[in-house]
Amino acid sequence: MKAVGTNLFPILNLEKEAKRWNQLYKIMTEPKPEIVPTPRQTVWKKNKATLWYHPAKEKRHAIPLFLVYSLLNKAYILDIGEGSSVVGGLTERGYDVYLLDWGSPGLEDSDITLDNYIIDYLENALKRALRHSGAKEISLAGYCLGGTIAAILASITELPIKNLSLAAVPIDFSIGIFPDKLLEALQKGQISLDRFADAHGTIPSEIMHLIYRMVSPGYASSKINLVTRAHDEKYVEKWRRMDKWTNDSASFAGAAFKQMFNDLYQENKLLKGELVIGGRNVDLKNINCPLFVFSCSRDTIILDKQSLPVMDLVSSKDKTYEVFEGGHVSLALTGVFAEVWDKWLSARSEEIQEVLV
């Protein structure tokens, strides 16, 4: 009996492993999940872009919140699904939320520049949101490169921005995601991406996806986690949504691509105060509204030392910098984003906070 019992353990373990790998195969091969957005209305359209309005479930704050995400991504990174949605978490906390969906540019959009995105798209969308809401002021919040874009606009616009919040935001482009030798070559002008961008016109989403993979070592670890947590239905559902998003990059207009690498990565003009957008000098000291900046402790894409310099560049008296536990993508998929933003924003909306009955 002892010998028989001993021989059964390898068989039982093999059956268990086979079941686990079958489950993993099913997860990896089944259709990608459908992303159902938080209830929304179309406010404005321009070319491929759409301004979405997500009304609060029970409005508790008079000042609406406008979200800006990275041009490299698709909009549902901030609205990834019930229980994880940044947008949904904010509407549940009583905020009217506006989100500018950049869309994905086609070949005919290759000449769109950062100037166009910031002035013609974002600034005009903010005007529309203010008009639509009837509010006298608006809070602006940006994630990743969307935070950079939000900070640039806040420094050059005369629109009434009440509060500015920047999450995992690159400000100092002399350090960061690229290998040191490549970044050094870019900064010295030994490598130019102009011919690459000109050859494509608009950089296809497939290539942007490969670039994202190159600078996202954490993606491999997420698959390793899936191996050990395939039995956890809630984890698997969140993983599937994250996997869909990370494999669904946006294309990138060639002119904006060149401008981003030349002006930001190569010459670091934003940090130096030398960037010009729409004929306006981008000087971050023009920002004097309350400012909240936060980084992620395990972020391998945007390091906290890339974000921290903004604190010394702005003129804001009320400014806060914090580091939260999490990674670059995971923070946006756990509901923490909404909680963090609400904690800071609600305290700065107190005097004009109104409850609708």
Side-chain angles (χ1 to χ4, degrees), residues 65-237:
L65 178 59
F66 193 110
L67 300 181
V68 187
Y69 68 97
S70 173
L71 290 168
L72 287 77
N73 303 140
K74 290 193 175 178
Y76 61 84
I77 180 56
L78 296 180
D79 196 13
I80 202 72
E82 188 175 358
S84 301
S85 170
V86 178
V87 173
L90 290 165
T91 58
E92 287 174 0
R93 288 169 170 83
Y95 295 91
D96 281 341
V97 176
Y98 292 87
L99 173 65
L100 179 59
D101 183 339
W102 300 109
S104 196
L107 287 173
E108 67 278 11
D109 302 312
S110 62
D111 59 349
I112 295 179
T113 63
L114 288 180
D115 300 54
N116 296 137
Y117 278 127
I118 293 169
I119 303 299
D120 300 334
Y121 287 78
L122 181 55
E123 188 173 40
N124 281 330
L126 268 173
K127 292 177 183 177
R128 295 282 182 155
L130 282 162
R131 184 190 309 171
H132 180 266
S133 67
K136 295 181 179 180
E137 298 175 296
I138 196 164
S139 292
L140 185 62
Y143 170 48
C144 189
L145 184 62
T148 309
I149 291 171
I152 290 172
L153 180 63
S155 74
I156 61 177
T157 189
E158 294 184 359
L159 294 176
I161 297 175
K162 170 67 174 175
N163 302 295
L164 177 64
S165 180
L166 310 173
V169 57
I171 296 295
D172 183 355
F173 286 83
S174 68
I175 50 181
I177 60 177
F178 295 105
D180 292 342
K181 293 292 185 182
L182 176 57
L183 190 58
E184 182 180 350
L186 278 170
Q187 292 164 351
K188 290 183 177 179
Q190 297 170 342
I191 295 177
S192 173
L193 295 176
D194 286 11
R195 290 179 64 186
F196 168 76
D198 289 339
H200 287 283
T202 293
I203 316 301
S205 58
E206 294 83 2
I207 293 180
M208 295 306 301
H209 172 72
L210 290 175
I211 294 174
Y212 181 79
R213 284 288 167 271
M214 290 170 60
V215 300
S216 304
Y219 182 70
S221 65
S222 74
K223 288 193 174 182
I224 294 171
N225 290 338
L226 181 64
V227 172
T228 60
R229 300 184 63 178
H231 62 282
D232 185 337
E233 292 184 4
K234 289 186 178 180
Y235 177 83
V236 168
E237 181 57 29

Side-chain angles (χ1 to χ4, degrees), residues 263-319:
D263 287 357
L264 299 181
Y265 282 99
Q266 184 175 10
E267 300 186 41
N268 209 11
K269 287 183 177 181
L270 178 60
L271 187 77
K272 296 175 181 177
E274 299 173 356
L275 185 65
V276 176
I277 293 292
R280 309 177 217 175
N281 184 58
V282 178
D283 191 340
L284 295 178
K285 74 178 181 183
N286 293 332
I287 296 174
N288 52 37
C289 63
L291 174 69
F292 179 42
V293 183
F294 65 91
S295 299
C296 311
S297 61
R298 299 192 303 273
D299 195 335
T300 58
I301 298 176
I302 305 299
L303 309 178
D304 62 343
K305 57 186 177 181
Q306 288 182 267
S307 305
L308 193 54
V310 73
M311 303 303 289
D312 293 326
L313 295 173
V314 300
S315 300
S316 305
K317 303 292 185 184
D318 177 1
K319 52 186 178 180

Side-chain angles (χ1 to χ4, degrees), residues 13-28 223-224 226-228 230:
N13 287 338
L14 283 174
E15 288 179 350
K16 183 177 180 181
E17 286 300 306
K19 183 177 180 181
R20 181 155 65 104
W21 286 105
N22 284 335
Q23 177 67 11
L24 282 171
Y25 177 79
K26 179 183 177 183
I27 293 169
M28 299 293 290
K223 288 193 174 182
I224 294 171
L226 181 64
V227 172
T228 60

